Amino acid sequence: MKGTNLGEFEELVLLTIASLVNDAYSVAICDEIEQHTGRAAKLGVVHAVLNRLEEKGLIKSKLGEATKTRGGKRKRFYTLTVPGKTSLVRAKDMRDQLWDKIPAFVLKSASI
Amino acid sequence: MNNENRNIHPPRWAERLLGWYCRPELLEDLQGDLNEYFDRNVKSKGTRRAKLIYTIDVLKFFRIYTIRKFEFINLLINWLMLGSYIKTSGRNIVRNKLFSTINIVGLAISMSVGLMMIGVLSDIFSYDKFNEHHSRIYRVTSDYKYLNERGNTLATTSLKAAKAIEENFSIPEEVAIFHHGFEGDLKAGEKAIPLKGYWANESLFKVFSFHLLKGNPATALKAPYSVVLTETSALKLFGNEEPLNKVIALGKEQYSVTGVMKDLPKFSHVHFDMLGSLSTNEILSKDSKDEMAWDNVWGTWVYLLLPPNANLRNLKTNLDQLSAKEDPSVKNTHVELSLQALDGIMLGPDLGNQIGKTMGGSMVWIFGGLAFVVILSACFNYTNLSIARSLRRTREVGIRKVIGALKSHVISQFVVEAVLISIGSLLVSLLLFLLLRPYFLSVEESLQAMLSLQLSPVLIAYFVLFAIVVGMAAGFFPALFFSKINAIHALKDLSAGLGFKKLTTRKVLIVFQYSISIILITSTVIIYKQYKHFLAFDLGFKTENILNISLQGNKPEVLKKELNELPEVKEISQSVMVTSVGNYWGTYMKYYTNPDDSAMVYYNTVDEHYLPLHEHKLIAGRNFNPKLDSANETEVIVNQAVLKRFKIMEQKPEKAIGEIVKVDHKDVQIIGVMQDFHYGRANNRNMENEVILRYSSKKAYLLNVKIESADILATHAKIEAIWRKIDPVHTLDAKFYSEQIEKSFAGLKASVKVAGFIAFLAIGIASLGLLGMVVFTTETRLKEISIRKVLGANEASLLFMLGKGFFLLLMIASAIGLPITYLFFDQLLFQELANHAPIAFGDLFIGAGAILVVAISMICLQAFKASRANPAQVLKTE
């Protein structure tokens, strides 16, 4: 099933949500990604991914308190669910395993 | 958010669009996100860019996962509530009798025009549909150009082209040919019946679905001297005898009846009593050079049956190749052939030489446009009055909303109410439709022949659909208005003055209605003046008391001798045609100084009595002398325009006498020069037609009889008795010259009638609407009026206070309507219409004045009623 594997951007979004802890809402996620990767994260793309992740059950959301900013509209805060966390960990494990298998000299030239 | 940015808002419509399409559960935070970005962009990129980006983002978020799902439950609720809506609507209609009446009557009147329009369209669109292959039949039309002068597009083409297409073209499956000239008195034994028809080839029955009752469709029109009769013609000729294989005579030829076909349906664009085989025509006109000439494009109608999905462009290329090949056979002439779909004939452009009567697309557009305007006007009444009354219904809407009605529920409630009213109007307008139908059909003779306007289930279905559409259109704006009412406001403060909002819209609507009314009535007056002007137009000769009798093949001498014995008959002349009613007879003329310059001149062939009888003015020379032997044409009378055109003797009439010109390849001498007159109709652009009068004592199709009689009817009866003695076959065809001129302007007369009627309706509807508004305003201001009275206002000042708003609106309406009408006629219509009467300013103001008087007296009456009310009575109830 496609849903169990994470896409690259999906993983990025999940990581960002995890790193923002309690302050992960769409605009903040966009900004964070932009800051860390240096590439522009469009709201439209992030919004679609968030929606998909929520459908997959990897994240959950709830609306925050109304404030005077944002034209009085509430923010939707995202947090990781248990399956979300597992899939992140699994993705990291998979990478780590692969990293471990790479002999040191293969990447030597890249580090110079 | 910064305080200075508080007032900068994203574009409203984009916000609304987002709210409309986005799923409710996703909406709020998405709106918030976009707002946040918007604020940032305002700071970094400026307000305008920010708004643009916001709009683009809203559009970009239109995706499958954001779109609202179709809410079945809403539909269900709407359906369940329909009963309730109908009930409350019914109560409302009954409660406000005056407003409901105004609405129903206004809508009914305007809808009857709409029904008429639908009836006409449905009749027109059912034309020629009885043909099985109607969508695959095309007609060949011609553009005739002589020396690059653009001529008319004709529905006819040349027999030559017809034959070439039939023999050489590969694309058409079948080629049907109608050729003119097969008509006259058919004799079967003792009986003689005048019948009209065409020469036609045998493919005709393959192209058109004419049903042959007797005979073989494949061969009926093949052999020379065969005739196919319609059922009615066969009955006229043979009674109940078997017509097949009977011999009938037309002129010197004998024909045998090879088929009997069912009468043509009414909705066929071509009509005839009989068909003769085209092969006969080939034998009869074997010696005629003209018959197969390439430029003889006046008498043959060609219909092609094309295979399904035929390539019209290829066919057009083939036609162009044919033109290119044949054009050199005639000097200075180019004939361009084109295709016209059978289904497009009735509503198509007004081609010359139509085989039957057609409606013409422009006529339908104009009439449809007028009907649309009238209906729109009635819808405005509904909108205006509903919104005006909103004060009384805000509470109802408020309660509905509190209980849980959504905007869409309120909208559907008010739309249902409007549709109910329009269905009610449909019943009234159907009655009106049936009442008006005979009048409408008799507006112009050709309408009667063309249309039937019979009710059919399909037509009724169209009517109902139409009523629903009108209802929805009328109810849409009030519904939108009511749906926006804020429940809290509506319940808290009933006098919040909702009824007085939207005042500008209502004013605009009233101004629109009255402008339209003024435009229509003024146009009617102007067209009527033109009509009268053309009837009384000085044509350059006298037409009074001249009775034109069509000879219909009889010898002129016999009839003349009999008629001369009547004391009422003063003088008789003969001619071949009637001038000034739109008939043209042309021939070619040459003058020896310039032998290459052969030009078309119009002519009439007359006898020596014609000039004095019509009081044409001779400038120089003499009238024709009576001559018995007219076989040899030697003399001609020309008008001044001819001298000018051919530069004869420096245009000096006295000198031109005795000059020799070539008319129709014969040398003739000019014996007289007459003053120019209107050979064409009075509205013909070119007054200076070159006209010649030719002489013949034998050749005549008409007798022009000058009558002096106190009792025209008795004289007519006497003439008819004489006619019946001489010609028992044909009925007398005698018309006064003035009648014929009147008839040639029948189109103008019909448009006066139609425009007048529609103007009347528009005024009626606008007045109803105004009445409703005035009643409403005075009612709501009754208390104010009473208090003013108590404080000492007199009736005149109250009248002025109540009326001034409306007077102003009417003034604005005239200020819009009158210049538009003036410019329309002066700049557009009258540029096309020659010899028109100038627009008198009096004419402009008659109509507008009449409307204003009606409107003002209505306003005054209501205002007077209100100002006369006893203030004590009114204020007591407080």
Side-chain angles (χ1 to χ4, degrees), chain B residues 827-872:
Chain B
Q827 299 295 321
L828 280 170
L829 215 57
F830 283 179
Q831 300 294 324
E832 301 293 315
L833 192 66
N835 304 322
H836 60 84
I839 303 172
F841 276 92
D843 296 348
L844 278 179
F845 290 108
I846 290 176
I851 290 183
L852 294 188
V853 166
V854 171
I856 288 172
S857 55
M858 213 162 57
I859 294 170
C860 288
L861 204 69
Q862 285 301 323
F864 192 62
K865 214 171 90 184
S867 65
R868 285 293 295 275
N870 187 350

Side-chain angles (χ1 to χ4, degrees), chain A residues 25-26 31 47 51 70 76, chain B residues 25 28 33 36 40 65:
Chain A
Y25 77 101
S26 47
D31 292 345
H47 196 270
N51 197 64
R70 291 163 58 91
R76 182 177 292 277
Chain B
E25 63 267 28
E28 185 170 353
D33 291 348
E36 202 170 332
R40 276 190 205 176
Y65 78 92

Side-chain angles (χ1 to χ4, degrees), chain A residues 18-81:
Chain A
S19 73
L20 284 169
V21 195
N22 282 330
D23 208 21
Y25 77 101
S26 47
V27 179
I29 295 169
C30 286
D31 292 345
E32 191 76 8
I33 291 175
E34 219 167 310
Q35 213 181 343
H36 282 278
T37 63
R39 66 184 195 197
K42 285 268 191 276
L43 177 66
V45 183
V46 172
H47 196 270
V49 169
L50 287 172
N51 197 64
R52 195 159 61 233
L53 289 174
E54 194 167 7
E55 250 172 50
K56 285 181 183 175
L58 299 182
I59 54 174
K60 60 186 182 214
S61 69
K62 67 171 195 285
L63 287 169
E65 294 293 310
T67 55
K68 285 224 162 179
T69 53
R70 291 163 58 91
K73 307 290 179 195
R74 290 176 289 177
K75 294 172 183 170
R76 182 177 292 277
F77 290 104
Y78 294 92
T79 45
L80 296 189
T81 58

Side-chain angles (χ1 to χ4, degrees), chain B residues 500-548:
Chain B
F500 291 101
K501 276 187 192 165
K502 300 272 167 190
L503 259 183
T504 33
T505 337
R506 273 157 45 196
K507 280 178 183 162
V508 168
L509 294 186
I510 287 184
V511 167
F512 176 84
Q513 284 180 325
Y514 269 89
S515 306
I516 294 290
S517 307
I518 287 173
I519 290 173
L520 285 173
I521 187 86
T522 316
S523 307
T524 310
V525 172
I526 292 176
I527 300 173
Y528 180 71
K529 282 265 168 146
Q530 294 303 323
Y531 175 64
K532 282 284 166 204
H533 165 76
F534 283 129
L535 291 195
F537 197 79
D538 182 12
L539 296 164
F541 62 96
K542 293 279 189 304
T543 56
E544 282 87 15
N545 298 325
I546 295 174
L547 189 68
N548 289 322

Side-chain angles (χ1 to χ4, degrees), chain B residues 784-803:
Chain B
E784 180 198 337
I785 293 166
S786 304
I787 292 171
R788 278 176 191 273
K789 266 190 95 171
V790 171
L791 293 177
N794 60 10
E795 275 165 18
S797 68
L798 286 177
L799 212 62
F800 179 69
M801 183 200 80
L802 285 170

